[in-house]
Amino acid sequence: MIKIIYSYNAENVGVSAAKVMADVIKNKPDAVLGLATGSSPIGMYSELIKMCKNGEISFKDVRSVNLDEYVGLSKDHDQSYSYFMHKNLFDHIDIKEENTNLPCGLCKDPEAECKRYDKVIESMGGIDIQVLGIGNNGHIGFNEPSDYFSLGTGLVQLTDSTIDANSRFFATRDMVPTQALSMGVGQIMASNKVLLIAIGEGKAEILEKALFGKVTPQVPASILQFFKGEVVVCADRAALSVIMKKHPEAVKAN
Ligand code: GLP
């Protein structure tokens, strides 16, 4: 079931997405959180930090697995996803470092690293909630448009459109890594709940296509239409503009 929650702006998206996460943590203090990077979840992370600081929630028994990491960037590179997670969440909450997991971008043997990460995910006994953004091309994690849906963690070749989109964070386009390690679509689909966050007009077309169009690996996020549990979509009015025009009945006000 897909539940679309409309928020007026990005700040309100952060608040409503944080509520969804906080409910999971309150119900299960040792929840396994599947976490995402990118600009979309930043507002949610700052709300979760506030909730943790005011004692509403605690991450002391929470475990986390991140979706992806760039190949070739060390943990302390300011564009690595490990750095991002520390800066935007981990360093400000009571989560234990040893309970946080990301693929290693500097591994010598990507195949072995993918296997290791599969084992990490498996050993957690299931992801309680998986946070996702959506790429301009419909990617989830770094699962790019393809002829098939990936099952487990894999080494992926980033598409030109993703490299273009992510080059805004690097000094030059040449500095953007061309490969990443990403959790597979199968692992995302095995989680208990999905929280998809989309902000801005740039996501309006692809969000409609993903949630209402044909289910195809050419739009990886479209597989969420087959998700067994609840997919909560927290999005702002700009990201929902096409959906509100075509499927107004599907959108719930926050
Ligand atoms: C990146 C990440 C994705 C993210 C997407 C959208 O490439 N690997 O996990 O969802 O881009 O990013 P943003 O939220 O900045 O639009």
Side-chain angles (χ1 to χ4, degrees):
M1 191 198 115
I2 299 183
K3 179 170 155 192
I4 304 175
I5 303 179
Y6 166 99
S7 293
Y8 184 71
N9 57 23
E11 202 185 322
N12 298 346
V13 171
V15 173
S16 62
K19 272 193 203 137
V20 176
M21 292 292 273
D23 281 347
V24 172
I25 298 167
K26 284 177 193 168
N27 278 329
K28 189 175 174 197
D30 62 347
V32 177
L33 308 180
L35 299 177
T37 52
S39 48
S40 309
I42 291 181
M44 174 185 79
Y45 290 147
S46 44
E47 287 302 319
L48 288 173
I49 293 168
K50 281 189 214 157
M51 287 179 178
C52 183
K53 289 206 176 352
N54 72 23
E56 201 181 327
I57 51 170
S58 168
F59 293 81
K60 77 177 174 39
D61 295 320
V62 162
R63 292 161 298 154
S64 73
V65 269
N66 261 78
L67 280 170
D68 46 15
E69 180 59 283
Y70 285 118
V71 169
L73 299 192
S74 66
K75 283 183 175 181
D76 52 7
H77 186 290
D78 68 1
Q79 289 309 324
S80 78
Y81 286 165
S82 175
Y83 185 94
F84 174 103
M85 289 310 301
H86 282 86
K87 180 170 143 232
N88 291 295
L89 186 66
F90 299 156
D91 288 354
H92 314 284
I93 58 174
D94 57 348
I95 198 164
K96 296 182 186 112
E97 174 73 24
E98 66 269 28
N99 285 346
T100 66
N101 296 280
L102 280 106
C104 170
L106 276 191
C107 60
K108 295 215 169 60
D109 179 351
E111 211 175 297
E113 177 57 8
C114 291
K115 284 199 182 120
R116 181 196 71 84
Y117 208 61
D118 283 344
K119 285 212 178 92
V120 167
I121 296 170
E122 211 185 302
S123 71
M124 300 234 157
I127 296 172
D128 291 293
I129 184 162
Q130 177 62 59
V131 180
L132 297 175
I134 181 167
N136 296 332
N137 59 7
H139 75 214
I140 44 178
F142 264 135
N143 294 287
E144 298 282 38
S146 159
D147 294 340
Y148 60 91
F149 290 109
S150 61
L151 198 57
T153 311
L155 173 68
V156 294
Q157 207 61 44
L158 303 182
T159 60
D160 283 345
S161 89
T162 296
I163 294 173
D164 284 344
N166 291 1
S167 65
R168 69 191 194 276
F169 299 113
F170 293 81
T172 63
R173 193 183 185 279
D174 292 357
M175 291 168 88
V176 186
T178 55
Q179 291 182 316
L181 298 176
S182 180
M183 194 189 278
V185 172
Q187 289 159 321
I188 294 171
M189 290 296 279
S191 59
N192 289 334
K193 193 177 180 123
V194 163
L195 171 58
L196 175 67
I197 305 174
I199 293 167
E201 211 185 327
K203 301 290 168 70
E205 291 282 348
I206 194 67
L207 194 61
E208 194 273 336
K209 219 172 159 187
L211 302 182
F212 296 92
K214 193 166 80 177
V215 174
T216 160
Q218 294 301 335
V219 181
S222 65
I223 191 85
L224 296 173
Q225 294 180 45
F226 290 162
F227 191 69
K228 61 178 193 276
E230 191 177 45
V231 178
V232 181
V233 180
C234 289
D236 69 344
R237 70 184 195 291
L240 287 175
S241 56
V242 175
I243 292 181
M244 286 200 299
K245 240 181 249 156
K246 295 193 179 171
H247 321 274
E249 71 295 339
V251 182
K252 190 175 164 283
N254 184 11

